[in-house]
Amino acid sequence: MKRTLYIVLAVVAVIIIAAGAMGSYAYYKIKKEPWAKQDAWVYVRSDMSTYDVLGALAETGGDTRGVLIDLTCRLYKLQSRIAKGVTGAYHIKAGMSMGEVIRKIALRQQDPVKLTFIGTRTLPELAGKLSHCIEADSVRILEAMYAPAFLSECGCDSANVCSVFLPDTYEVYWTIAPDKLMLKMLSEYK
């Protein structure tokens, strides 16, 4: 009877030690070990699934296959947060851990992007350049430029509204709405 009890206790002790070792290994891999191999920008659009986001993350050099990435995504509830909207531009720095990268996206800690336009002649050309820097397309940007509310706010008409857009470099979030972008440009102009 005693011998059976000792065997059961030994087996339980081995299981506990093995579970602790596996937990420690997973903690190290998720929280401490550098995962991103290079600096990269990851752009998460509203129509992306979890697998699309993981595909974009694969370009940073991190391995997006396996149990640990799945565990990390579950830990930070990435799938449900993507469904609720984590759209944005995220600057992934070389040496970030898997947990840091997934957490940054899951918590929507996006980074501002640089919006630069120099040497544009027409508003459609300007809208095209702006659409390469933010999520909105050039049609939506043009609509915001010619919106009656914006034109009255800046005291312009469709012929001279281009004077509001001063060539420079601005920092904005990739997800900025075109009407908010126009207000930012107007505040910079004033």
Side-chain angles (χ1 to χ4, degrees), residues 121-143:
R121 294 178 181 263
T122 64
L123 285 180
E125 185 181 349
L126 175 62
K129 282 193 175 190
L130 294 176
S131 70
H132 291 295
C133 300
I134 63 172
E135 182 182 26
D137 64 359
S138 59
V139 173
R140 289 183 48 214
I141 294 170
L142 269 175
E143 289 171 355

Side-chain angles (χ1 to χ4, degrees), residues 36-105:
K37 306 287 188 256
Q38 60 195 13
D39 280 10
W41 281 88
V42 175
Y43 298 93
V44 179
R45 296 181 315 278
S46 54
D47 62 344
M48 292 177 85
S49 69
T50 306
Y51 297 108
D52 295 333
V53 173
L54 290 177
L57 286 174
E59 295 175 14
T60 66
D63 186 10
T64 57
R65 299 165 290 142
V67 175
L68 286 178
I69 190 75
D70 188 50
L71 177 69
T72 309
C73 289
R74 289 177 193 268
L75 179 69
Y76 291 109
K77 300 177 180 148
L78 184 64
Q79 188 166 6
S80 65
R81 291 177 191 231
I82 285 176
K84 292 177 186 171
V86 292
T87 344
Y90 302 94
H91 185 220
I92 308 303
K93 296 178 182 153
M96 288 178 77
S97 71
M98 181 189 309
E100 290 172 322
V101 171
I102 300 297
R103 182 175 186 271
K104 182 174 189 153
I105 293 172

